[in-house]
Amino acid sequence: MNKSSRLSHSFGFSEVEQREREEKIRAVFETVAPRYDRMNDMMSFGIHRLWKRTLVHFVNPQPGEQIVDLAGGTGDIAEKIAAKGCQVIVIDPSEAMMAEGVRRKLVGVEFRIGSGEAIPLPDQSVDRLTLSFGMRNMTDMGEALSEIYRVLKPGGTFYCLEFSKPAWWIKPFYDFHSFYIIPRLGAWVARAPVAYNYLVESIRRFPDQQEMKALVENAGFSNVEYRNLSFGIACIHMGEK
Ligand SMILES: C[S@@+](CC[C@H](N)C(=O)[O-])C[C@H]1O[C@@H](n2cnc3c(N)ncnc32)[C@H](O)[C@@H]1O
């Protein structure tokens, strides 16, 4: 797919607003990096670990495969995949987030600065690409999806784990948790209230299960399907090049 035929999906922001948003996102992750993993455990009661384990189960990495974890942050997904005997490249624009992973000296994991909108890898060089809680940080999801499509080999697979739209009956509890608990935890534990207000806002703006499926299909992927996790609070979309 050439650049002009790419479908843009920039959350309805203008170009200037997009640039401001990009800077804000970068600042958020620089601030929260040292406390990011602890905050995830507290906010999700540890459930994010089960979601990530399910993601790795779907990926089913085989030794020798080239795997990329885009927006890989502190490297927790990469660590699980590398444990299966694969080489994993974590790509993320935040040095501070990746520094946490570098410090843990993960075997089989390489950390590279880069972004989803301009993945620093050649065409058709990757067997599988994972993106966990990173899609909603892209300034343009359409552009990121075409970059993901470009770097995957034919037959390569893409896995996206993200927050989604929960079932109606769980929504009141979920809303209470998002609007009252998460911002307070963000202020007390991560000492970054603005960052965690951003998190809640970005989850609200994110496409639901069907909209996300359509976006992945529009980027050219086939056999796109999704699995809800914890009644739709999170969701894994999968597609094949
Ligand atoms: C919520 S964290 C997710 C980290 C990890 N994948 C996980 O599941 O815990 C989002 C990550 O996206 C990265 N990020 C922000 N903007 C990005 C972009 N345009 N392209 C790729 N990664 C981006 C951030 O630096 C951060 O590490």
Side-chain angles (χ1 to χ4, degrees):
M1 196 179 297
N2 65 33
K3 189 147 182 146
S4 57
S5 67
R6 284 173 184 177
L7 278 176
S8 167
H9 192 295
S10 50
F11 299 90
F13 293 116
S14 71
E15 224 169 278
V16 174
E17 284 170 331
Q18 252 176 277
R19 230 168 295 125
E20 282 170 8
R21 186 170 177 269
E22 195 178 329
E23 279 165 26
K24 190 171 158 187
I25 292 170
R26 301 271 153 97
V28 161
F29 289 105
E30 294 298 309
T31 313
V32 302
R35 289 171 288 274
Y36 174 80
D37 289 320
R38 192 170 356 130
M39 260 304 281
N40 270 355
D41 282 335
M42 294 186 73
M43 281 188 313
S44 72
F45 311 108
I47 293 170
H48 77 108
R49 291 179 187 272
L50 293 179
W51 295 340
K52 288 172 178 172
R53 217 175 297 152
T54 307
L55 174 71
V56 175
H57 169 77
F58 279 126
V59 175
N60 187 22
Q62 301 300 311
E65 284 183 335
Q66 180 59 70
I67 303 201
V68 165
D69 186 33
L70 182 60
T74 58
D76 58 347
I77 304 271
E79 182 175 17
K80 288 179 179 58
I81 294 177
K84 311 261 178 196
C86 302
Q87 291 298 313
V88 189
I89 305 176
V90 169
I91 297 179
D92 197 290
S94 169
E95 257 181 85
M97 288 289 282
M98 291 193 292
E100 295 298 308
V102 171
R103 197 174 41 77
R104 296 203 324 270
K105 297 193 171 68
L106 306 178
V107 176
V109 181
E110 181 195 333
F111 288 87
R112 257 188 223 181
I113 291 274
S115 79
E117 295 85 349
I119 301 177
L121 289 173
D123 296 358
Q124 308 196 356
S125 57
V126 175
D127 293 294
R128 292 150 197 273
L129 187 146
T130 54
L131 175 56
S132 161
F133 300 112
M135 187 54 110
R136 87 197 111 86
N137 298 313
M138 302 296 162
T139 39
D140 190 321
M141 291 198 292
E143 201 160 336
L145 282 166
S146 22
E147 273 293 274
I148 292 167
Y149 193 86
R150 177 185 69 75
V151 299
L152 279 169
K153 295 176 185 172
T157 39
F158 167 50
Y159 305 82
C160 176
L161 167 61
E162 241 326 328
F163 289 108
S164 202
K165 291 283 178 287
W168 64 269
W169 60 268
I170 206 171
K171 209 168 166 296
F173 306 100
Y174 180 64
D175 283 347
F176 177 77
H177 184 67
S178 317
F179 291 121
Y180 292 95
I181 309 292
I182 291 180
R184 282 165 178 77
L185 276 177
W188 295 331
V189 181
R191 284 166 246 149
V194 177
Y196 284 90
N197 285 337
Y198 158 75
L199 174 82
V200 173
E201 177 257 335
S202 70
I203 294 171
R204 298 291 140 163
R205 277 176 174 272
F206 199 72
D208 67 17
Q209 286 83 345
Q210 285 301 333
E211 289 165 341
M212 185 64 200
K213 182 170 183 275
L215 276 171
V216 178
E217 283 169 341
N218 287 339
F221 287 92
S222 318
N223 303 324
V224 180
E225 48 182 326
Y226 66 82
R227 295 281 190 286
N228 279 325
L229 304 172
S230 304
F231 312 104
I233 290 176
C235 185
I236 298 175
H237 281 79
M238 296 164 266
E240 198 178 310
K241 176 165 171 180

